[in-house]
Amino acid sequence: MCGISGYYSFHKSISSTNILEMNQAIKHRGPDDEGFWLYDHEQGISFSGNDSTPKIKEQFPVLQKRSSYIALGFRRLSIVDLSEKGHQPMLSENEQVIITFNGEIYNFKKLRKELEVLGHSFRSNSDTEVILKGYQEWGNSTFAKLDGMFAICIVDLTNKKLILARDRVGMKPLFYYQSEEGLVWASEIKALLKNEFVKPEINWNGVYTNFLFQTTLAPQTCFQDILSLEPASLMTVDLSDQKITKEKFWTLPSPSVKNIPEEEAARKIDEMLSESISEQLYADVPVAVMMSGGIDSTLIASKSKPFNPDVNTYTISYPFSEEEVKNASLAAQHFGVSHDIKEVSDDEALEQLKENIQHFEEPYSSFEVLINAAKYAHDKDFKVVLSGNGADELFAGYSHTLKLNRWLLMRNFNFVKSFIFTKDKFSQRVKNYFSQDDMFDFFRQGQISMMPSEVKNLFHTSIFKNINTDLSGYHASESKSYSGYFEYDMKYSLSSHHVFRDDLSAMKYSVEFRYPYLSNNLINYVASLPENIRFNGSKNKPLLRKTAEKYLPESVLNMPKKGFSFPVHYFIKNEKRVRDFIVENLDSLKKRNFFNAAVIDEWWNHQEHEYDWVKIWQLVTFELWYQKYFEK
């Protein structure tokens, strides 16, 4: 689990200052070691950095100012094989294949045995070397074999190509900037902005989707010409002519299993989850399970004990989370594991608020409680934390999903929107409801964000007229059933939103979050099951509840779905310093003339609906994002 950065300058050799500053920008992702590899005039050379270990500095010279066409940078968070043998960039024996890798491969021991049978020998116990040898043996077919989370860069000098790859559901981020001058990539956007080729500009199309979905829909970002490599994708650059090609190495399966009893499906899921947990508990550093008090994480904690009797669990307590904390404690006592509660006070939640918001590289609609969860793990020396994230998307966990059948019926009456002419808030909400023509629109409605009509009124006309409001390019299969909604949950709620936020939150404090629900086998199996046992329209996560029956107390099983985030509306209502913070930033935002000041004032002064605060917080975080990345 680390951070990677790099560039390929197409036409000229550029200063290594670029890669040094890029790597420094993501130091928080890997404080244990750093390394570099530069390629210039048909020669590749490895370097250490100022933050490299003493042994690495003895092995490689510290990188000073020099020039290169290609540069790879790496920050290491040591998790598996803590020795210098796991140092990156890692080179093949003939120094013709070079890899930087961020992530964890949970089936690397199985793949290593396959490769040893084929004649390969290994110098380390790291998963990085397994990927490297796997690529030498299987080429691009390697990526589909990897069960885990990864963002990878491989330079293949023999075949004259450079490859970027990202895991199946985008658990590890990988951003890139492409122009006529070259290609730049990194684990976080803040590193890209340190490269001389990249000049920050606002991508209003990305901001538009951000305001509609609470996140920017991949591959777009809120930065012009900075894109997110899509999950399960490879990008290949020909080093001879700079031609770039992209391909998918995996797609989400469609339902294919017929007439399977619910009990059998639950038993199979139980087995697969056990296997995933056992693999993901493996590390050469302390591991903990973060319990929110709900089914997802509590089930992981329960099933972890047979594989690690001394497993540690902890829960973050914050305003209005009393029931979740109580259930987490009850569950920990029920299956006999060590459990701590970290109470986050109002002061702690608001501490470093501006810095935390700006860490996310785009506007956001919440306080991120996971930052506090990661800080607590870091303070307790837990480098690895197992998370229940992914279960909601995989098992139909969101409450909005339960409205699907009603929407499929009501969309037959969407013609009524043409007869709504009044402009009051209630009328606009009704019109918005009857404007959900596609499954994509229904999915958007569940994100509890701005409505398209609100965004249109918000933007100044000079900006809005240049925004592409046709989002059909983001549509998936548009199946008029739960399978269609499932696609959007996996593609946008999970990949573009939750695991992206998780990664930034965890890595801010050099902590690795792992996701047992997102193993290859479990995703493939659940996606292949008949819809009727995955989604029943009356209760969320019916199949996971069935799986969890023999493990969890009734109070946990029957607990209603609740998001794991600080109650922003509580802070707005009860904390004058938060209201002052909002007013200060809204006043600054209004002076920029991006948005209609009268609309901003109306939203701030007339908060009537339960979620009206979301729109305000998106504007506040937009202002803070702009200050961080565009003001010099």
Side-chain angles (χ1 to χ4, degrees), residues 27-45:
K27 179 178 180 178
H28 51 276
R29 297 187 70 89
D32 297 331
D33 187 24
E34 73 172 330
F36 303 94
W37 179 84
L38 272 60
Y39 185 73
D40 195 45
H41 297 103
E42 305 297 318
Q43 184 181 21
I45 305 175

Side-chain angles (χ1 to χ4, degrees), residues 74 138 240:
F74 179 75
W138 299 308
S240 301

Side-chain angles (χ1 to χ4, degrees), residues 17-35:
T17 301
N18 287 280
I19 197 66
L20 286 166
E21 292 185 355
M22 289 174 70
N23 228 37
Q24 187 63 26
I26 53 173
K27 179 178 180 178
H28 51 276
R29 297 187 70 89
D32 297 331
D33 187 24
E34 73 172 330

